[in-house]
Amino acid sequence: MSGVILTVGALALDTIFRLDRLPSTPGKYLPIETIRVAQGMATAQAATIVRLGGQARLWASIGDDTTGERIVKDLADTGIDLRAIRKVPGAESGFSSILADRSGNSIIVPHYDPAIRSRPDTTPDLTDVVAISVDVRWPDAAEIALHAARDMQIPGILDVEAAPEDVLDRLLPIASHLVASEAGAFALTGEPDPEKAAAILGKGNGRFVAVTAGARGTYWPGGHQPAFPVEAVDTLAAGDVFHGAFAFGLAEGWEIPAAIRFASAAAAIKCTRFGGRLGAPTRSEVESFLAERG
């Protein structure tokens, strides 16, 4: 890859508690394993891109608190370009508490200070950027970044999750590539079938649209990539790994089916590893995984 992928959006400090099973009643539950990791959708995408051998610059916000210091310290050895991280005076950095069971199911309770989502005053260096991937958690920055991608005629990829309608109305028209979760696609179309939702989203707008549907795979108009069967232990950040790997493939100049197949394999490998973004694979691991499956 000859350039940088800019990822824009969520950054938080997650505490992940792994349990035998998710709680169904109030009480005290002792975890099997606990880790604390800086992630969030855009952050996990950036970490994935670097693990795959690419270059990633993260545009996200933290507060001027000890949590923000811990986040930066946690990301320092990832290889992500952190120079575009914005520190907001007086704001509280994002954090989440996550309960996960042995099968990879999870309960996520996030907190983001509204000040973190304020409109940015400056834009990161884009001179070496070859693709931009944004989530919906920092709408103003995402809008600026997608407009820049369109002006630069490079991929502008939107991770479509359930979000306020006004946010999606602002971001959808300016993205060149939409990759929606089932929940995000349903929120936009009201169609529960991911294949039909992809067809609806792709009508007459000239952009690429795909819908990820977990164990059923990924659908786009005229195409379907089945999911790779694995024994899942942690699905947290699997979608982010998919998005990061997909952006990596686009930046490498791959055709859509190849990029989606590669991203599907990367997400499948991640699901076999506990720890959110820490389970993102290397490029050689993905290629070996795909070679074994023909």
Side-chain angles (χ1 to χ4, degrees):
M1 185 189 299
S2 59
V4 173
I5 300 173
L6 178 71
T7 66
V8 184
L11 172 57
L13 185 63
D14 290 352
T15 304
I16 310 171
F17 302 95
R18 192 180 187 199
L19 308 170
D20 274 320
R21 59 186 63 85
L22 294 179
S24 57
T25 60
K28 182 180 290 186
Y29 298 87
L30 299 180
I32 303 166
E33 189 175 358
T34 304
I35 65 169
R36 188 164 287 165
V37 58
Q39 51 186 12
M41 292 182 287
T43 307
Q45 288 183 37
T48 297
I49 291 162
V50 173
R51 284 281 288 167
L52 292 170
Q55 301 177 70
R57 180 172 301 134
L58 175 63
W59 191 18
S61 295
I62 56 173
D64 57 351
D65 53 8
T66 56
T67 300
E69 293 173 1
R70 171 65 188 268
I71 287 171
V72 172
K73 183 179 179 180
D74 193 56
L75 294 175
D77 63 352
T78 60
I80 302 169
D81 181 346
L82 304 177
R83 290 174 295 173
I85 289 182
R86 179 184 71 153
K87 184 181 290 187
V88 182
E92 187 177 24
S93 298
F95 61 89
S96 298
S97 294
I98 301 169
L99 303 180
D101 67 14
R102 288 184 179 272
S103 300
N105 303 305
S106 60
I107 296 173
I108 304 172
V109 185
H111 170 74
Y112 287 97
D113 185 338
I116 292 294
R117 292 161 52 95
S118 62
R119 189 171 184 84
D121 296 323
T122 59
T123 304
D125 178 21
L126 301 176
T127 54
D128 54 355
V129 170
V130 295
I132 294 175
S133 182
V134 310
D135 66 39
V136 295
R137 297 293 176 252
W138 191 11
D140 287 331
E143 185 176 17
I144 292 168
L146 289 175
H147 274 298
R150 188 165 66 175
D151 291 343
M152 297 166 67
Q153 297 184 334
I154 61 175
I157 309 153
L158 174 60
D159 178 356
V160 182
E161 290 286 347
E165 186 175 346
D166 65 307
V167 170
L168 296 176
D169 286 345
R170 289 165 57 191
L171 300 183
L172 263 64
I174 49 177
S176 65
H177 295 71
L178 305 180
V179 181
S181 66
E182 273 189 280
F186 178 75
L188 287 172
T189 67
E191 173 53 64
D193 182 283
E195 183 175 12
K196 294 178 181 178
I200 293 170
L201 289 171
K203 283 183 178 177
N205 49 42
R207 64 192 173 208
F208 173 75
V209 173
V211 177
T212 57
R216 286 179 287 173
T218 302
Y219 297 87
W220 66 99
H224 175 230
Q225 170 63 53
F228 293 98
V230 294
E231 186 174 342
V233 300
D234 179 16
T235 59
L236 184 66
D240 307 325
V241 170
F242 181 100
H243 280 81
F246 178 69
F248 175 85
L250 290 186
E252 289 277 294
W254 301 347
E255 297 294 330
I256 289 293
I260 290 183
R261 186 167 185 265
F262 184 86
S264 298
I269 294 169
K270 184 269 135 335
C271 288
T272 66
R273 301 169 176 175
F274 177 67
R277 69 162 175 85
L278 300 178
T282 64
R283 180 170 181 168
S284 62
E285 287 174 328
V286 178
E287 290 174 344
S288 295
F289 181 93
L290 288 171
E292 290 170 2
R293 283 149 183 80

